[in-house]
Amino acid sequence: MRKIIFTLGLAILFVLSLYNCNSAKQAISVTDEEKAAFSQTEGDTITIKDDKTEYEIIIIEPGFDFWLQSIARPEGYYSQSYLENRNRIMVIEWNQRVMQPYRYNSNLYELRIDYDPNIDYGYEVNYKLYNYFIYFQRKYNQRLGPFVPRV
């Protein structure tokens, strides 16, 4: 009986390993308009803040403002709870990468993001932070969560 269970366990592991070998990451298709945003060299400075709260994020990234204005989904497209849930996942992954500079490019992951899921940062902060994560993932071909960064 033990041999059957052990053999069955090995068979399951073998099948799972084959599945993992064949399941490649889904490729991200980038439009010409996005490529134009990604190729910008002049710095954009975006200040993300909510007038109702005292929280603020400053992003200095060439092309992000153009991308946000022309390519990102408009404000109101996502609910605040959707944005908060996605931001929570991506901030955790981002901060883990900041703490591992020998494993992840320290030029990409320079500073830790202090995002507390118990604080209501407001819609605008969550919207722009989420879109920065999408922009960042698409521009630098990174994955900060289990989902494909789509526009």
Side-chain angles (χ1 to χ4, degrees):
M1 188 66 135
R2 286 185 180 176
K3 289 182 180 179
I4 294 172
I5 293 172
F6 182 71
T7 306
L8 181 61
L10 285 176
I12 291 172
L13 286 175
F14 178 73
V15 169
L16 288 175
S17 67
L18 285 178
Y19 174 76
N20 287 335
C21 290
N22 290 331
S23 62
K25 287 186 179 178
Q26 187 174 352
I28 299 171
S29 62
V30 177
T31 65
D32 290 337
E33 192 174 16
E34 272 189 295
K35 289 177 186 175
F38 297 159
S39 66
Q40 289 188 12
T41 56
E42 291 185 24
D44 286 339
T45 301
I46 300 292
T47 300
I48 302 172
K49 66 180 182 175
D50 190 311
D51 294 333
K52 298 174 190 170
T53 66
E54 57 191 55
Y55 302 103
E56 179 177 88
I57 300 171
I58 298 173
I59 297 175
I60 302 169
E61 178 78 39
F64 176 61
D65 186 46
F66 172 78
W67 185 90
L68 184 65
Q69 301 301 321
S70 61
I71 297 168
R73 299 280 186 194
E75 285 191 40
Y77 184 84
Y78 303 106
S79 70
Q80 184 169 335
S81 63
Y82 174 87
L83 297 171
E84 290 169 341
N85 289 330
R86 291 295 174 103
N87 285 342
R88 185 176 305 118
I89 292 167
M90 291 186 281
V91 163
I92 289 169
E93 182 62 28
W94 179 280
N95 289 339
Q96 288 176 351
R97 293 179 182 199
V98 168
M99 301 301 292
Q100 301 176 53
Y102 297 109
R103 184 171 179 197
Y104 296 101
N105 186 340
S106 60
N107 292 323
L108 292 179
Y109 303 99
E110 294 181 21
L111 299 173
R112 186 179 180 285
I113 298 173
D114 188 20
Y115 183 89
D116 184 346
N118 298 314
I119 294 175
D120 179 6
Y121 294 103
Y123 187 86
E124 186 175 359
V125 170
N126 279 289
Y127 170 78
K128 289 184 179 174
L129 179 60
Y130 171 78
N131 277 295
Y132 176 71
F133 282 138
I134 298 300
Y135 172 85
F136 172 85
Q137 291 176 94
R138 294 177 67 79
K139 180 176 181 177
Y140 297 108
N141 196 25
Q142 300 290 302
R143 185 77 60 94
L144 294 174
F147 32 81
V148 176
R150 295 189 180 112
V151 182

